[in-house]
Amino acid sequence: QSSDSPSLKPWFQTVEDVGSSLAWHEFFGNDQPVELDIGCGRGLFLFNAAVTTPQTNFLGLEIDYGEGRRTATRLVKQNLPNARVLGGDCRRVLTDMIAAETVAAAHIYFPDPWWKTRHHKRRLFNDEFPSMLARILKPDGLVHHWTDVADYFCMAAGLMDLHPAFTRCASPT
């Protein structure tokens, strides 16, 4: 299905579909808080969060359009009005399309660790990523990051710890 398929809109759109910026009220049709699922993949978190927390809007960002459409199909089947998937590069979305201090939380679960050293430059967490998050998050906003790769966790945590906008919270038990 193409991104302009009526059966998946508004649940799946691309960065080209939405234009130069995201206005949350227009995008979701309400003024509920917004949380991002960066690299939502097949959308397990996005789907479950939308079902269990209907008073919050969730936007999944996914670079793989096929995965994004698969996730959107699950959202369509449940007719979840508070969840959407945006296909495209999250760096562009975070840098250019989201207004400052408008996001309540960012969830980054099991990002690709890009195992080979020569591919580390492709990792989501890099020197610029914490600043991208700091710009879009509300002053009391949260970043939730999980990975099962110890060295990637240490690297990402180190980057976040160095940024003045973030304070590490206790790990969940």
Side-chain angles (χ1 to χ4, degrees):
Q1 276 181 330
S2 68
S3 66
D4 58 357
S5 169
S7 64
L8 288 184
K9 275 192 174 182
W11 289 276
F12 179 80
Q13 299 177 64
T14 68
V15 293
E16 291 78 19
D17 294 332
V18 298
S20 62
S21 66
L22 289 166
W24 297 129
H25 180 80
E26 293 170 20
F27 192 74
F28 284 103
N30 61 53
D31 290 319
Q32 296 180 159
V34 175
E35 297 190 12
L36 302 179
D37 182 5
I38 301 173
C40 67
R42 295 193 176 182
L44 182 62
F45 168 77
L46 183 71
F47 179 84
N48 288 328
V51 168
T52 60
T53 319
Q55 69 277 12
T56 299
N57 292 325
F58 294 91
L59 176 61
L61 303 177
E62 180 54 53
I63 198 164
D64 181 329
Y65 286 17
E67 291 288 353
R69 286 186 189 100
R70 184 175 290 121
T71 298
T73 299
R74 293 177 73 196
L75 302 174
V76 168
K77 287 178 182 176
Q78 292 296 313
N79 193 27
L80 293 171
N82 64 323
R84 305 278 187 270
V85 179
L86 186 61
D89 187 341
C90 75
R91 295 182 201 292
R92 177 177 171 198
V93 176
L94 297 175
T95 304
D96 300 331
M97 299 176 71
I98 297 176
E101 299 184 356
T102 61
V103 173
H107 303 266
I108 306 112
Y109 299 131
F110 303 98
D112 191 329
W114 293 101
W115 295 100
K116 295 179 182 177
T117 303
R118 71 176 185 265
H119 292 159
H120 283 187
K121 64 185 175 221
R122 297 179 183 171
R123 286 180 166 181
L124 185 57
F125 280 90
N126 60 24
D127 291 342
E128 294 84 29
F129 191 62
S131 292
M132 290 178 193
L133 293 173
R135 187 188 75 76
I136 63 156
L137 287 171
K138 292 181 176 187
D140 59 349
L142 297 171
V143 174
H144 302 270
H145 170 237
W146 294 354
T147 179
D148 52 0
V149 179
D151 73 323
Y152 192 28
F153 173 80
C154 291
M155 183 275 299
L159 289 170
M160 297 299 289
D161 288 345
L162 289 173
H163 198 285
F166 297 105
T167 302
R168 190 185 296 213
C169 298
S171 296
T173 55

